Amino acid sequence: MTNLIKSDRLIYSMSSENKPALEVDPGSTVVFETCDCFQNQISSSEQPIEKLDWEKINPATGPLYVKGAEKGDTLRIEILKIDINDYGVMAAIPGGGIFGGNIGESSIKILPIIEGKAIFNDSIYIPCKPMIGVIGVAPDEAAIPNGEPGSHGGNMDNSKIVEGAVLYLPVFHAGALLAMGDLHAAMGDGEVMVTGIEIAGKVKVKIDLLKNHEIRNPILEYEDKVYTIASHEDLLQAVKISAEDMLYRVIRKLHMDINEAGMLLSAIGNTEICQVVDPKMTARFSMPKWVFK
């Protein structure tokens, strides 16, 4: 049986105070119906972006209560399917993103989705690779707005969180309280203009629970790689934390000392950037799966 959480069950911050929209057992399959990051407020490129309700930005659908999940466990989220709507939205916002200081006037672009491609203009058709921008659990500390990433997940804007990926999140509170939203039809690493191709849709996931298996930050498996993910106000610190998480994973799993493990990371590991436009910036460190086999 597949369970459904509709897009009228929205939250704007990850918090242990959020009332569950649904409770399921580990092993369940759940569909999250999501709005875009503007809560579907944009339908025309002529709309002034300044007139949007900015209290309704980055909504996430949920949260989902996973029975038996407790602090010190890990939530395993297998992304089975991402379906997106028939148009996406992008925006240029003064002061927003890397180029915000150069933008004098805001603008909105509507991108139709046709046969798996986003129509950017008459000559540029962008292949869609739907991904999840916001996905997280209730954080250990006080409520965190959905627009901010952290150890709980949140707005990581990680382009590898796609169909076929498996995301691991630490559990800080009973039930974990998983929520997600902010889908993109496509998004480049960095999300330098603040928006990817923002879009509404549905995400089908399988939820499992790893009891007494504690991690400090999100971990992702996709195709032939494993990624450790970290967020920090300082991008260099995010890079350092994500690399350290991988370093200690290698030390633990391959029984290496720190010198040998560090040399292995330097030989075949990669520092990668997820996003650089949120209150905290997000980096990931990748290693090939074959190393751990």
Side-chain angles (χ1 to χ4, degrees):
M1 174 182 175
T2 298
N3 303 277
L4 173 66
I5 306 179
K6 292 190 175 182
S7 59
D8 58 354
R9 296 300 301 267
L10 298 175
I11 60 172
Y12 300 92
S13 63
M14 304 284 178
S15 170
S16 61
E17 300 297 318
N18 289 329
K19 183 178 179 181
L22 178 69
E23 295 188 13
V24 299
D25 293 310
S28 297
T29 301
V30 183
V31 172
F32 290 76
E33 184 181 77
T34 69
C35 301
D36 69 20
C37 76
F38 300 111
Q39 199 167 317
N40 304 343
Q41 295 181 74
I42 297 175
S43 57
S44 166
S45 60
E46 303 305 314
Q47 288 179 246
I49 199 164
E50 292 79 10
K51 296 286 182 71
L52 299 182
D53 183 346
W54 290 92
E55 298 297 316
K56 296 181 177 179
I57 300 301
N58 272 329
T61 301
L64 175 72
Y65 187 102
V66 182
K67 296 176 185 177
E70 300 172 304
K71 185 178 177 66
D73 297 339
T74 292
L75 204 62
R76 182 185 188 274
I77 305 139
E78 183 179 358
I79 302 164
L80 302 175
K81 183 69 174 172
I82 302 177
D83 292 310
I84 55 175
N85 285 12
D86 58 4
Y87 75 94
V89 175
M90 299 194 77
I93 304 171
I98 286 177
F99 310 121
N102 305 105
I103 298 169
E105 186 174 336
S106 64
S107 62
I108 289 172
K109 180 183 284 288
I110 304 292
L111 294 83
I113 308 297
I114 300 175
E115 296 181 352
K117 294 182 179 179
I119 311 305
F120 190 81
N121 59 28
D122 290 343
S123 59
I124 299 176
Y125 297 0
I126 300 172
C128 291
K129 190 170 185 178
M131 49 80 66
I132 305 169
V134 171
I135 181 168
V137 297
D140 195 21
E141 59 271 32
I144 296 178
N146 290 348
E148 182 175 323
S151 295
H152 68 295
N155 195 24
M156 296 179 287
D157 281 321
N158 186 332
S159 64
K160 306 300 182 184
I161 303 179
V162 296
E163 280 185 21
V166 178
L167 178 66
Y168 299 86
L169 294 174
V171 176
F172 299 107
H173 296 277
L177 300 176
L178 175 70
M180 66 185 74
D182 185 35
L183 303 186
H184 302 94
M187 191 201 81
D189 286 335
E191 200 186 24
V192 294
M193 196 67 160
V194 180
T195 63
I197 303 176
E198 311 292 335
I199 199 162
K202 293 180 180 178
V203 183
K204 183 178 182 180
V205 297
K206 184 175 183 288
I207 304 295
D208 285 298
L209 187 62
L210 306 180
K211 293 295 295 180
N212 302 312
H213 182 95
E214 191 168 4
I215 58 176
R216 70 168 186 164
N217 288 303
I219 296 172
L220 184 71
E221 294 179 359
Y222 178 57
E223 293 183 336
D224 61 346
K225 291 185 174 62
V226 178
Y227 301 87
T228 44
I229 306 163
S231 300
H232 197 278
E233 292 87 350
D234 182 333
L235 180 58
L236 183 57
Q237 287 300 311
V239 167
K240 182 179 178 182
I241 296 166
S242 65
E244 285 177 341
D245 282 355
M246 186 64 78
L247 178 72
Y248 291 111
R249 181 180 179 87
V250 167
I251 289 171
R252 186 177 67 254
K253 288 187 173 292
L254 302 184
H255 309 292
M256 291 182 176
D257 63 30
I258 190 168
N259 293 15
E260 189 175 18
M263 286 187 277
L264 183 62
L265 263 64
S266 199
I268 60 173
N270 290 289
T271 284
E272 303 172 15
I273 304 303
C274 297
Q275 59 79 25
V276 292
V277 296
D278 292 338
K280 291 182 179 178
M281 293 169 276
T282 308
R284 60 180 182 257
F285 194 93
S286 71
M287 286 284 280
K289 281 184 180 180
W290 61 259
V291 169
F292 299 106
K293 293 179 180 178

